[in-house]
Amino acid sequence: MKTWNAKPGEVSRDWYVVDAEGQTLGRLATQIADTLRGKNKPQYTPHVDTGDFVVVVNAEKIAVTGKKLDEKLYHRHSGYPGGLRTRTLREQLERRPTEVIRKAVKGMLPRNRLSRAQLTKLKVYAGPEHPHEAQSPAPLNLEK
């Protein structure tokens, strides 16, 4: 029997919505990363984008354990000497809460062209509203 491979034109994409309120950041990010890659589908193929779209709402109400709010740091660099800027998780949640989830999911994807394409299927919103009602997203089943 020959091994079956998914072809990019044959992939069916679903839309899922996730409410991040009260969810632990890392555990939620792993579930989202697996859905973006399509690892929960029987037709998963590592070199083809078989994943689904994920819409995350209430990103500003994400939960973390321990002292991560004050000790977890986010770094960015302007490219100039001395251009390193650092923020704590608490400051990042106040300024750009969508980046916290996007960066956590990005770290759980492989580092290649395919993962950059898969990351474009992640839509993160700070509040409870999102503009993707026309796609009628279903709630994502999160394992506890």
Side-chain angles (χ1 to χ4, degrees):
M1 183 178 218
K2 294 178 86 172
T3 302
W4 184 84
N5 279 320
K7 289 154 196 71
E10 299 174 353
V11 177
S12 66
R13 302 205 190 287
D14 299 324
W15 283 75
Y16 293 104
V17 65
V18 177
D19 189 5
E21 185 173 359
Q23 299 283 335
T24 306
L25 176 62
R27 294 176 188 272
L28 177 67
T30 55
Q31 298 289 321
I32 294 171
D34 283 350
T35 306
L36 288 175
R37 289 191 72 191
K39 292 197 86 166
N40 54 356
K41 293 181 168 184
Q43 60 265 27
Y44 169 71
T45 308
H47 64 278
V48 178
D49 187 5
T50 56
D52 298 321
F53 287 86
V54 178
V55 179
V56 181
V57 294
N58 288 326
E60 60 194 6
K61 297 178 182 169
I62 197 82
V64 291
T65 58
K67 297 191 252 178
K68 291 189 191 82
L69 275 177
D70 297 314
E71 292 183 1
K72 182 173 175 63
L73 299 175
Y74 288 88
H75 305 287
R76 59 193 170 90
H77 201 284
S78 66
Y80 289 98
L84 182 67
R85 302 285 181 256
T86 303
R87 287 183 187 158
T88 63
L89 176 58
R90 187 183 304 273
E91 293 168 352
Q92 191 77 346
L93 281 173
E94 289 171 8
R95 293 179 186 225
R96 298 185 71 187
T98 58
E99 280 300 299
V100 172
I101 291 181
R102 192 191 69 77
K103 210 165 178 167
V105 172
K106 182 183 179 189
M108 295 178 184
L109 294 175
R111 277 75 172 161
N112 55 25
R113 288 182 212 137
L114 185 60
S115 72
R116 289 188 285 276
Q118 290 166 344
L119 196 61
T120 61
K121 296 187 314 236
L122 174 65
K123 318 292 182 189
V124 185
Y125 299 99
E129 278 87 37
H130 63 86
H132 304 287
E133 289 300 326
Q135 284 76 21
S136 60
L140 183 64
N141 219 356
L142 298 175
E143 291 115 27
K144 292 271 178 172

